[in-house]
Amino acid sequence: MGKRIVIALGGNALGKNLPEQMAAVKHTVRAIADLIEEGHEVVVAHGNGPQVGMINIAMTTLSREDPSHPMAPMSVCTAMSQGYIGYDLQNALREELLNRGIHKSVATILTQVEVDPNDPAFQNPTKPIGTFMTEAEAEEMRRRGNTVMEDAGRGWRRCVASPLPKAIVEIDTIRALLAAGQIAVACGGGGIPVYRTEGNHLKGAGAVIDKDFASELLAEELDADTLIILTAVEKVAVNFGKPNQLWLDHLTPQEARDYTAQGQFAPGSMLPKVQAAVKFAESKPGRTALITLLEKAKDGIAGKTGTAISQ
């Protein structure tokens, strides 16, 4: 009996620019197709950290050179990133499935995700976007009025507000595709952040929602059995990078909270993945979150590797 799975793809599954992305998705979709071939129902979510930063810089540069082009808000940049990442993903996955004799439609849903306009995250930008910078480049970015942060020892990046997701606007559309046996690419980049104003109007918010939290909400709303959060390591570790580093096969939600309180997981890197995994594992009995490498997703579902978080 197949499982209902939401897969949250990390940046390493998509590359850092257009040529890298086109190459990366061909590799990425093989792991997704492996799960579909085994009979699992799959919905794909993904990040957009490098891509949305690239789009934002391009649009900002255009507006400076030609003032007739207004600045593109972050919500619009996220919508653009959903479109072009989804375009590559759905084409590559469709081709991979057809090559295996699997006839399933794949569609990208431009997904809006509601946030609270009073979320304190708007006063404390923490979500890294765009490419890595040197410290000198980061200082120049600061002088332009942007917030920057050092990202898990890998360099400096611009960061923006990252409010928590509250509701997925297009959830009924995603459910309909899943019920029809089709594959949806949804909540790209955490979703287009919006909030309600007068009447039924949704207004874009100047933020980027963390894709791990958005994927967790998506998995809950779809009543998924498993949330797979793919990252650059095979398992979660404590004392990461130290001589006493320990890889973890399984965590209970309480164990994960204890390690979080000890500061074991890097903010903007492993921390949101663990927090999202805990939330999903506690949302309903029998649900499991898995954190692992893209290439190990199939083995992870089989219980052979990865870090499983469950009650």
Side-chain angles (χ1 to χ4, degrees), residues 5 46 49 84 103-104 122 124 163 194 198 216 237 241 247 275-276 282 293 301-302:
I5 300 170
H46 61 80
Y84 101 76
H103 295 266
K104 282 182 176 287
F122 286 105
N124 181 33
V194 296
E198 301 82 9
E216 189 282 328
W247 297 107
Q275 291 173 326
E282 291 187 322
L293 272 172
I301 286 291

Side-chain angles (χ1 to χ4, degrees), residues 5 13 49 82 118-119 128 141 144 147 153 167 175 184 186 200 202 206 210 246 253 256 258 278 303 309:
I5 300 170
Q82 282 190 0
N118 297 313
D119 191 308
M141 186 72 75
R144 294 178 189 168
T147 302
R175 286 186 182 129
N200 294 313
L202 294 174
D210 190 286
L246 176 65
D258 290 343
V278 167
I309 296 91

Side-chain angles (χ1 to χ4, degrees), residues 198-221:
E198 301 82 9
N200 294 313
H201 182 64
L202 294 174
K203 181 177 175 58
V208 172
I209 302 168
D210 190 286
K211 73 99 175 39
D212 297 315
F213 292 125
S215 300
E216 189 282 328
L217 179 60
L218 178 63
E220 279 196 47
E221 291 292 319

Side-chain angles (χ1 to χ4, degrees), residues 49-257:
Q51 294 88 351
V52 76
M54 177 186 70
I55 291 168
N56 181 249
I57 289 169
M59 298 302 289
T60 300
T61 301
L62 174 63
S63 69
R64 285 176 181 157
E65 293 185 359
D66 185 351
S68 68
H69 291 277
M71 292 275 287
M74 285 303 302
S75 56
V76 173
C77 294
T78 296
M80 290 180 177
S81 73
Q82 282 190 0
Y84 101 76
I85 294 171
Y87 163 59
D88 279 347
L89 273 174
Q90 71 184 36
N91 266 356
L93 183 53
R94 172 187 172 276
E95 181 179 353
E96 180 67 24
L97 291 173
L98 287 174
N99 288 344
R100 299 185 187 202
I102 300 170
H103 295 266
K104 282 182 176 287
S105 296
V106 187
T108 298
I109 306 300
L110 287 182
T111 316
Q112 301 173 95
V113 175
E114 282 193 60
V115 299
D116 182 350
N118 297 313
D119 191 308
F122 286 105
Q123 308 305 318
N124 181 33
T126 59
K127 178 64 177 173
I129 64 167
T131 56
F132 289 97
M133 300 176 286
T134 65
E135 192 164 0
E137 289 170 331
E139 185 57 39
E140 174 61 26
M141 186 72 75
R142 274 199 200 95
R143 282 197 290 269
R144 294 178 189 168
N146 297 296
T147 302
V148 297
M149 67 179 287
E150 200 276 330
D151 186 0
R154 296 177 292 179
W156 295 81
R157 296 173 79 184
R158 181 189 172 194
C159 56
V160 297
S162 183
L164 290 172
K166 297 297 183 184
I168 299 168
V169 177
E170 286 77 21
I171 190 64
D172 287 340
T173 303
I174 301 165
R175 286 186 182 129
L177 286 174
L178 193 58
Q182 301 182 32
I183 299 151
V185 179
C187 290
I192 303 163
V194 296
Y195 59 90
R196 292 187 182 273
T197 57
E198 301 82 9
N200 294 313
H201 182 64
L202 294 174
K203 181 177 175 58
V208 172
I209 302 168
D210 190 286
K211 73 99 175 39
D212 297 315
F213 292 125
S215 300
E216 189 282 328
L217 179 60
L218 178 63
E220 279 196 47
E221 291 292 319
L222 294 176
D223 195 23
D225 302 297
T226 305
L227 168 65
I228 304 180
I229 300 176
L230 299 175
T231 186
V233 291
E234 188 168 341
K235 298 179 182 181
V236 178
V238 291
N239 304 313
F240 185 72
K242 300 176 181 178
N244 59 339
Q245 175 177 292
L246 176 65
W247 297 107
L248 304 170
D249 296 321
H250 182 266
L251 282 170
T252 65
Q254 187 55 54
E255 287 170 338
R257 276 193 288 269

